Amino acid sequence: MSQDFTHFDKAGRAIMVDVSEKEITHRTAVAQGVILAGREVLAAVTGKTAKKGDVLGVARVAGIMAVKQTASLIPLCHSLLLTRSAVDFTLEEDRITARCTVECDGKTGVEMEALTGVSVALLTIYDMCKAISKEMVITDVHLVTKTGGKSGDFTFGGQRDG
């Protein structure tokens, strides 16, 4: 089965996809990723003793700001009027899991915004904790779910509904 690349014209030049004929639908995306870190880093994060301040508070704001800048960072993304953006964290013994949720009512999806938000949140944790230890690994950044649009709903590891 042949897959057409939507970001290229017939001559092979990069283009922004024309979404003018698409329907406006409510669209959501959730992306998640993990930063593996040692006990010292996790203790500083949970105890709010990192020299740069409240690591998760700053990482949350950084992730939300990144969501709003996605079209400036990813060359062929459309600028979107977002209706919601949130970044949340789960802490375990050796890791912090970040989860970014984005929503809009529009003609194109918010998957790239959610992936950008979670990536920048994790990078911010690294930046704020690298003085404690540089032995951190950012991993498993992926789209968890998406809803809305012509392609239907998606769940990681599941089947597409549409």
Side-chain angles (χ1 to χ4, degrees):
M1 173 160 68
S2 172
Q3 176 70 31
D4 291 330
F5 291 104
T6 58
H7 287 83
F8 293 98
D9 66 13
K10 291 180 180 165
R13 297 175 298 224
I15 59 166
M16 182 181 276
V17 174
D18 181 0
V19 297
S20 59
E21 300 297 320
K22 291 176 106 179
E23 294 292 322
I24 293 174
T25 62
H26 185 72
R27 297 161 182 268
T28 67
V30 176
Q32 150 177 320
V34 172
I35 186 163
L36 302 172
R39 287 193 170 112
E40 191 176 5
V41 168
L42 272 287
V45 171
T46 58
K48 298 185 179 183
T49 59
K51 289 183 180 181
K52 290 188 176 184
D54 178 5
V55 174
L56 298 183
V58 173
R60 179 175 284 110
V61 172
I64 292 168
M65 290 175 66
V67 164
K68 298 189 307 181
Q69 294 300 314
T70 301
S72 297
L73 298 169
I74 309 296
L76 302 179
C77 280
H78 291 83
S79 297
L80 300 175
L81 183 59
L82 303 173
T83 57
R84 178 173 183 252
S85 177
V87 178
D88 296 298
F89 302 98
T90 305
L91 285 75
E92 297 176 47
E93 184 177 319
D94 65 342
R95 70 192 59 218
I96 301 169
T97 301
R99 194 171 184 97
C100 181
T101 303
V102 182
E103 296 184 32
C104 82
D105 295 314
K107 294 183 174 194
T108 188
V110 289
E111 299 97 86
M112 293 309 301
E113 286 73 12
L115 288 162
T116 299
V118 79
S119 297
V120 170
L122 292 168
L123 287 167
T124 300
I125 293 169
Y126 186 97
D127 179 56
M128 293 187 72
C129 295
K130 68 182 185 259
I132 300 165
S133 174
K134 291 177 183 51
E135 290 192 17
M136 293 177 276
V137 176
I138 295 172
T139 186
D140 296 329
V141 174
H142 65 283
L143 182 67
V144 177
T145 62
K146 79 108 182 148
T147 65
K150 182 178 167 185
S151 67
D153 296 349
F154 167 85
T155 300
F156 186 82
Q159 297 296 316
R160 180 170 300 223
D161 303 326

